[in-house]
Amino acid sequence: MTTPNLVEQLTTKAGLVSATVRCVASMDEAMAYVADVCVGKEACQILASGCDAPLSGTAEALCETKQDKIICAPEMPEDAMAALSAQCAERGVKLITSGMRSYLGGIDIGLTMAAAGIAETGTVVVRSTNEEVRLASMIAEIHIAVLPASAIVADSYALEPRLVEWMGQPDFTAFVTGPSRTADIERVLALGVHGPLELHILILEDK
Amino acid sequence: MQDATTLKEYRKQLREALENDFQRQALDNFAVAYRTSRANAFADIDAPELIAEIAAAKDESIGRLEELFQEFKRHAEAAGTKVHLAATAHEANEIIARIGKENNVKTIVKSKSMTAEETHLNDHLEAQGFEVTETDLGEWIIQLRHEGPTHMVMPAIHLSRYQVADLFSEVTHKQQDVDIQKLVKVARRELRPKFCQADMGISGANFAIAATGTIGLITNEGNGRLTTTLPRVHVALAGVDKLMPTLHDALRIIRCLPKNATGQAITSYVTWITGTVPCEPSPGGTKVKHVVFLDNGRLAMARDPEFKQVLRCIRCGACANVCPIYRLVGGHKYGHIYIGAIGLVATYFFHGREKAKNLVQNCLNCGACKAVCAAGIDLPTLIKEVHARIQDEEGHPLYSTAVGQVLKNRKLFHTMLKSARLLQKPVTGGTPYLRHLPMFLFKDQDFRALPAVADEAFRDKWERIKPRVADAKLKVALFSGCVQDFVYPEQMEAAVAVIASKQGVAMEYPMGQSCCGLPLQMMGEKQAGRELAAHNMNAIDAQDFDYIVTMCASCASYLKHGYKRLFADDPAMAYKAAQFAHRVIDFSSFVRDVLGIADESFTGPSKKVTYHAPCHLCRGLGVTEAPRALLGEAGLEYVPAAEEDVCCGFGGTFSVKFPELSRELLGKKLANLKATGATAMATDCPGCIMQIRGGFEAEKTPFEVRHVAEYLAERLKHK
Ligand code: SF4
Ligand code: SF4
């Protein structure tokens, strides 16, 4: 299978599990998208979808810890950071790359680089041994992953040799397929339980 | 959590469960939706092949668990993880409590682990002063309600949004809306602080990869990720059966597990954790990590030729999803900790005979679980085997031994059946049903009319009706089974007429044949069953015949598969059983596929006929097309019914032991048949006919219920 087919398949499959997929021509375009999403979203999405629900004291208190709009972008390549910093400065968004443990109540966007994509299931593979990467992709209300088109493989078996190599030392790697979800109450699907409410995949076209 | 001490008490609990309307509706909806979503999920994948690969790979691992444990330990410890092997549930709980104390842990968050349910880990930790919070939404709900899961994948499937809203209102001390989306967000917000404060996270592990010392976790909610990331200490608890040689083994299972569990292509998250990773609040900035493997009898089980299959289980829950009984009574009454078919088997091993002895009898032997099992486990057979073992250990109930003694003595059994004909006269009222039954004998059996014993058994008619064939090309032995011999001989006669319509088929009815032995298997009377099987193989010398044809799906499936298993440990008999089994064929397949009888043999006006697929035909023998096609060949209009292949609730002795469940299953079956608009039904099994015809008779609905052979025979051009 050629890359365009894999891109197409990943896009379809990820769409089926409620992920948003965009193709971007450059890292600059990707970062502009990230800033747009951040500016466009409600200050605290949990507020929109749950904070009108009355909460107990401790849960309420945790929510207070976050005031500004925040993007956390740990371990992003230099060109991405240069573009994103400029965007964030211009649009009044706080950009951090570490210190996630101070924001466990939630941040707006966690931005990560995907190490690979799996077309068959619409999955992004995020190497997150670095704790900041792990937390950014778990705590954020929206997780955005930049996935180089060339890193998409057909199925999980095709990724096996690389995974095994990573597992040769302490490692934390995640297959992420769509946002966090549950059907535990009456089998009704609800997105955003403990993890992100949305997953956006930005497929970065090969140069 | 089923814990009745007597069968009587268990039946009382089952009756209560039947009255839980919400649960029944929820499970009904799920059972129907699951069929479609599973089929869709596997649309592009060869499911049987994948399942066979999983089974083979698991078997390979099961053969060397100890070695895999050592390999896992070596790699995991090199990467900083401590690895433990706990012999018992108590020991596992102790190890985990000790890790908590050594690390000054006060609060614990947990992500879902059936193994922790098995060991009652929460109770143990709480008794030692730890505060434990379940973080999987369903698990949290049931923890707050102080009850166990009712499904291995969807632990709170028995609860309504109203119940959850009430519960959350109580927990937050604020009134909550009855809105599922909002309730989920309430849980998100309430549990987040628990994650932040917790000192220790406890997870399960779906996979333990020996080659790299990696654990793999599959979750949807993301709680597993937070549990393994936020607290300074992480302990994973897994059965030793979760050990596998390589990552490939895990990837293979992932291709199947979510699809088989709920029809999901893959879970939102698959997390691979190797060794100790950075963790800010941990001493030295690195996570304190332990993996505790639980033996609790598994290593011994791995050496048991029959039961080692149990360790193949990947906990997908599918065997509950499709079980007609689970669907009626739910997980609290259909398992102790482990639920569904695997629960019936595993309870005996992990939680003991007392917890298993009633539970294990509650199985129709319908095979629906086996047909979907992600690991290809022969669950119905293992369930019967557990029943037999419990009876061997506890002593067989008197009635069970008595039936065993009678059935294995053909002359005595047949004499009893014949005298029944005379004794029943006062209760038939001249009809083919037993009426005016002494109620104390047949309590709760009134949901269907029971048939009377026929005036003349098939075996007594045989010499008169036997077709004489001059130049035989095929030699066929007829196996009638007890019901067709003594209750419905007309079904046998019809079959003989259909077969005789083809030239050159010589039929024999070996007189020495007796009951096939399936009822004994159902009752856990294994030894008597073996004797009976040997008797039948003697009575019908397989070498003399090309085929052994039977009109009873249950007999056919038992003769074909059951006999070989009975003699698995006896090479000489196993050979004989294999020769015998090889020749066994069901009526419809024989007529259509071997004799090639088709439309030119039949005549007569068309009418609508629906069909019931007997469990032992469609799953037991994998025969689905032949009977339906034959109805068409005979010029009948076959109208499919909903859930055609779901059990009618007969299950032989099952319907006598659990009449309240049999009644419900029959009710569903009748409703589905009536909904087709037809007023006639064909099937391939006299037991199903007895149940379904009796059900229509009891509710006074005119509906013709007959064997496929009867529909064919009456439409033969040349009789
Ligand atoms: S054989 Fe049928 S009744 Fe028995 S456990 Fe399996 S699905 Fe349930
Ligand atoms: S026994 Fe089979 S179907 Fe049941 S949970 Fe285990 S793997 Fe799944």
Side-chain angles (χ1 to χ4, degrees), chain A residues 13 46 49-60 62-63 101 104-106 120-121 123 128-132 134-135 137-141 155-157 160 163-164 167-197, chain B residues 22 29-30 33 79 135-138 141 153-157 159-161 164 172 174-176 180-193 195-197 212 214 220-223 225-226 228-230 247-248 251-252 255 264 266-274 276-281:
Chain A
K13 294 291 180 179
I46 304 174
S49 50
C51 270
D52 52 339
L55 292 163
S56 64
T58 28
E60 204 69 85
L62 190 63
C63 198
R101 285 217 177 235
L104 296 181
E120 186 183 46
T121 45
T123 302
S128 40
T129 309
N130 175 328
E131 191 179 51
E132 302 295 345
R134 240 179 298 149
L135 290 173
S137 64
M138 292 176 194
I139 298 294
E141 289 175 3
D155 56 26
S156 62
Y157 290 161
E160 200 180 320
L163 284 165
V164 170
M167 291 171 182
Q169 55 275 305
D171 180 82
F172 193 114
T173 294
F175 291 2
V176 180
T177 313
S180 147
R181 65 184 56 222
T182 188
D184 271 355
I185 307 177
E186 294 191 15
R187 290 196 311 112
V188 172
L189 176 67
L191 298 180
V193 202
H194 297 298
L197 291 89
Chain B
F22 176 81
N29 293 347
F30 175 53
T135 60
D136 172 86
L137 176 57
I141 292 171
V153 179
M154 292 164 292
I157 190 171
L159 297 173
S160 73
R161 63 190 79 186
V164 176
T172 57
K174 308 266 169 71
Q175 189 58 39
Q176 299 295 348
I180 292 176
Q181 302 299 331
K182 285 188 183 169
L183 291 169
V184 168
K185 298 302 181 296
V186 171
R188 176 185 174 101
R189 293 281 311 280
E190 291 298 327
L191 287 169
R192 187 64 66 85
F195 284 115
C196 301
Q197 289 151 8
T212 51
T214 303
N220 273 313
E221 297 184 358
N223 60 319
R225 286 155 53 79
L226 289 170
T228 55
T229 294
L230 287 174
L247 174 65
H248 194 78
L251 294 176
R252 186 191 297 116
R255 289 177 81 77
Q264 196 183 6
I266 188 169
T267 48
S268 300
Y269 304 109
V270 179
T271 306
W272 306 104
I273 312 175
T274 312
T276 50
V277 292
C279 179
E280 203 186 273

Side-chain angles (χ1 to χ4, degrees), chain B residues 92-138:
Chain B
N93 294 345
E94 281 286 291
I95 292 172
I96 296 172
R98 199 170 63 231
I99 296 169
K101 286 188 187 136
E102 280 167 9
N103 289 282
N104 215 357
V105 166
K106 305 258 164 341
T107 54
I108 297 174
V109 282
K110 258 183 83 214
S111 64
K112 195 158 107 204
S113 156
M114 281 307 293
T115 314
E117 298 276 355
E118 176 184 330
T119 67
H120 300 287
L121 177 61
N122 289 4
D123 294 344
H124 187 93
L125 293 175
E126 281 165 2
Q128 309 240 342
F130 297 101
E131 183 199 312
V132 188
T133 307
E134 292 286 351
T135 60
D136 172 86
L137 176 57

